[in-house]
Amino acid sequence: MDWLKMLGTTERQLQDDWRNKETRPTNCVTSRKRMSMRPGDRIALYATGQGAVFAFGRVTSFAYPRPDPNDEGFEWCVNVDLGSNYREFLHEGVPLNLVSVDGRDLRKSIKQQSHIKLSPVEFDAIRRALTV
């Protein structure tokens, strides 16, 4: 399965230098609800506020509960391995409209959920755009 996961909130967006300035872990993604991702699934990460995809990799665990250190209700976690498949700065990410394929506007779809399923064609468009 392929996924697009939104990170950050309108109130607390990821910082541009997310690998060095962010207090959130970079080896997992969190959600308020249990995610149905499974080990081996592919995942792409989308930065709220930037409107861009900035990383992709693999899910390495099932969802598990963990305390939210920021007390924002993000109590479900899935571990991810991005390898070197990320942009150092969020502003270097790829706008979602450039990777929306197959007639679906990913900008609209991701606004309705914290994570959405992607078709293999959609994920491959993201992978190609980020590896240029």
Side-chain angles (χ1 to χ4, degrees), residues 107-126:
R107 294 173 300 175
K108 289 182 181 177
S109 298
I110 196 66
K111 285 182 180 179
Q112 299 167 4
Q113 303 288 330
S114 72
H115 60 285
I116 58 171
K117 291 180 185 176
L118 294 173
S119 71
V121 172
E122 289 171 324
F123 187 90
D124 288 340
I126 291 169

Side-chain angles (χ1 to χ4, degrees), residues 30-62:
T30 59
S31 179
R32 290 185 171 112
K33 296 180 181 177
R34 185 180 183 137
M35 297 169 279
S36 56
M37 298 172 190
R38 307 171 71 88
D41 286 355
R42 299 188 300 178
I43 188 169
L45 304 181
Y46 168 78
T48 302
Q50 292 285 333
V53 180
F54 64 96
F56 69 91
R58 292 264 179 201
V59 173
T60 60
S61 75
F62 290 99

Side-chain angles (χ1 to χ4, degrees), residues 5 16 21-22 28-29 43 45 54 72-73 83 85 89 94 96 98 102 108 112-113 118-119 125 131:
K5 175 69 176 97
D16 190 42
K21 304 275 183 175
E22 208 40 61
C28 76
V29 295
I43 188 169
L45 304 181
F54 64 96
E72 295 177 307
N85 304 311
F89 297 95
V94 178
L96 273 183
L98 296 181
D102 280 352
K108 289 182 181 177
Q112 299 167 4
Q113 303 288 330
L118 294 173
S119 71
T131 54

Side-chain angles (χ1 to χ4, degrees), residues 30-31 34-35 62-68 74-78:
T30 59
S31 179
R34 185 180 183 137
M35 297 169 279
F62 290 99
Y64 59 92
R66 70 156 183 91
D68 179 358
F74 294 96
E75 297 173 349
W76 287 96
C77 187
V78 170

Side-chain angles (χ1 to χ4, degrees), residues 4 46-47 50-54 87 90-100 105-107 125-126 129-130:
L4 178 63
Y46 168 78
Q50 292 285 333
V53 180
F54 64 96
R87 297 287 170 93
L90 295 181
H91 73 266
E92 298 172 342
V94 178
L96 273 183
N97 64 314
L98 296 181
V99 293
S100 291
D105 185 347
L106 293 175
R107 294 173 300 175
I126 291 169
L130 288 173

